[in-house]
Amino acid sequence: MSTVLLIPARFESSRFHGKPLVDLAGKSLIQRCFETTMSFGYDTYVLTDSDKIANVIPSEHVIMTSAECTDGTDRCISVIGRELHYDKYINVQGDNPNPTLDAIMRVEAALDDHYVVQGYKSMTSDGQANPSVCKMIMTNEYVHWFCRGALSYGDFALGFHGYTQEAADRWRTFTQYPEEKSEKIEALRWIQNRDIVKGVRIEDYNGVEINTPEDVRTWYKENVGDRS
């Protein structure tokens, strides 16, 4: 079965303007995400509506998407079965400078049994009250809610998602509800349209997802040393 890796990225982030082009030790965030993902040997594309982002990625690996896409999932779904034709589509979020092959392979394998999957790991105590951390609640590996509020239970939703053509077909019929807009978590659209998301555990993943300027400082500490 064929698999493609998709990296959705937008410049106009509401929480961190211009985030994909933030400098991480001489390379932009989106360059680090793309180059690492590309090294895994899969067909790989950056999906964006920004010329600024497109200009730092080789043109043959860029698909320009509509500015009307509401989020990363919407951007990925917009090319499935249209510009791209594969069996499995893996969304590696563009705020992830250190994706791993293990995480991608776990999501890829989970798509054998379900049409939409969400990577996750156990939530640490410092993430429980952090509003930049997306939390998810599951029962028997199936997700029934996502949120950013403080929780003493649940799991940490990672930036690795998987879709098949069936997932795209379903998504295109969905309604966007106020809770999704309030939480800024598009994955709620699956739940609120009475669909089913399967969780896939990626416990060994320790990368830093860049959601805020503070995350940039954390990335430097963990990958380079304290930033001067």
Side-chain angles (χ1 to χ4, degrees):
M1 299 182 75
S2 59
T3 300
V4 64
L5 309 185
L6 307 177
I7 306 172
R10 63 174 180 157
F11 190 80
E12 304 293 341
S13 171
S14 59
R15 287 185 292 161
F16 190 170
H17 183 74
K19 178 175 66 173
L21 298 184
V22 67
D23 179 76
L24 296 179
K27 290 185 179 181
S28 66
L29 167 58
I30 191 63
Q31 284 177 296
R32 286 191 175 275
C33 181
F34 169 74
E35 290 176 6
T36 301
T37 303
M38 185 70 184
S39 73
F40 300 146
Y42 294 85
D43 290 351
T44 303
Y45 296 92
V46 171
L47 312 181
T48 186
D49 61 359
S50 167
D51 289 336
K52 293 178 181 179
I53 293 173
N55 287 340
V56 301
I57 302 296
S59 59
E60 65 270 26
H61 294 282
V62 175
I63 298 177
M64 299 302 293
T65 52
S66 171
E68 295 181 2
C69 291
T70 59
D71 47 69
T73 301
D74 210 30
R75 209 171 293 284
C76 291
I77 297 297
S78 74
V79 304
I80 293 176
R82 294 172 177 171
E83 285 89 346
L84 299 177
H85 301 271
Y86 291 80
D87 297 306
K88 299 178 180 181
Y89 301 82
I90 300 177
N91 173 349
V92 181
Q93 290 187 348
D95 55 14
N96 187 339
N98 302 109
T100 65
L101 178 59
D102 175 70
I104 287 166
M105 292 180 68
R106 287 176 185 269
V107 171
E108 182 180 29
L111 287 170
D112 287 340
D113 301 319
H114 197 63
Y115 50 86
V116 55
V117 299
Q118 165 73 58
Y120 74 93
K121 65 180 294 184
S122 299
M123 188 163 51
T124 58
S125 58
D126 61 341
Q128 291 175 350
N130 186 343
S132 72
V133 171
C134 177
K135 295 93 173 172
M136 53 189 275
I137 319 286
M138 291 188 301
T139 301
N140 298 326
E141 298 301 307
Y142 290 96
V143 186
H144 49 85
W145 197 247
F146 295 89
C147 71
R148 295 190 186 278
L151 289 179
S152 59
Y153 57 91
D155 294 285
F156 174 26
L158 297 174
F160 300 96
H161 315 262
Y163 321 111
T164 65
Q165 181 67 54
E166 180 180 355
D169 293 341
R170 288 170 178 263
W171 180 270
R172 290 168 182 150
T173 70
F174 287 170
T175 298
Q176 187 180 33
Y177 289 94
E179 291 82 2
E180 173 192 337
K181 297 178 182 179
S182 177
E183 291 281 2
K184 294 183 173 60
I185 302 175
E186 71 262 26
L188 278 172
R189 203 175 310 178
W190 301 102
I191 309 302
Q192 294 192 284
N193 284 274
R194 300 184 180 182
D195 218 303
I196 299 172
V197 179
K198 182 177 181 180
V200 54
R201 183 178 291 277
I202 310 173
E203 203 62 46
D204 293 338
Y205 177 75
N206 294 309
V208 176
E209 294 183 359
I210 307 297
N211 294 304
T212 67
E214 180 59 35
D215 293 330
V216 174
R217 291 186 281 272
T218 299
W219 183 89
Y220 266 89
K221 288 178 182 178
E222 296 188 2
N223 293 272
V224 180
D226 286 336
R227 193 177 188 182
S228 58

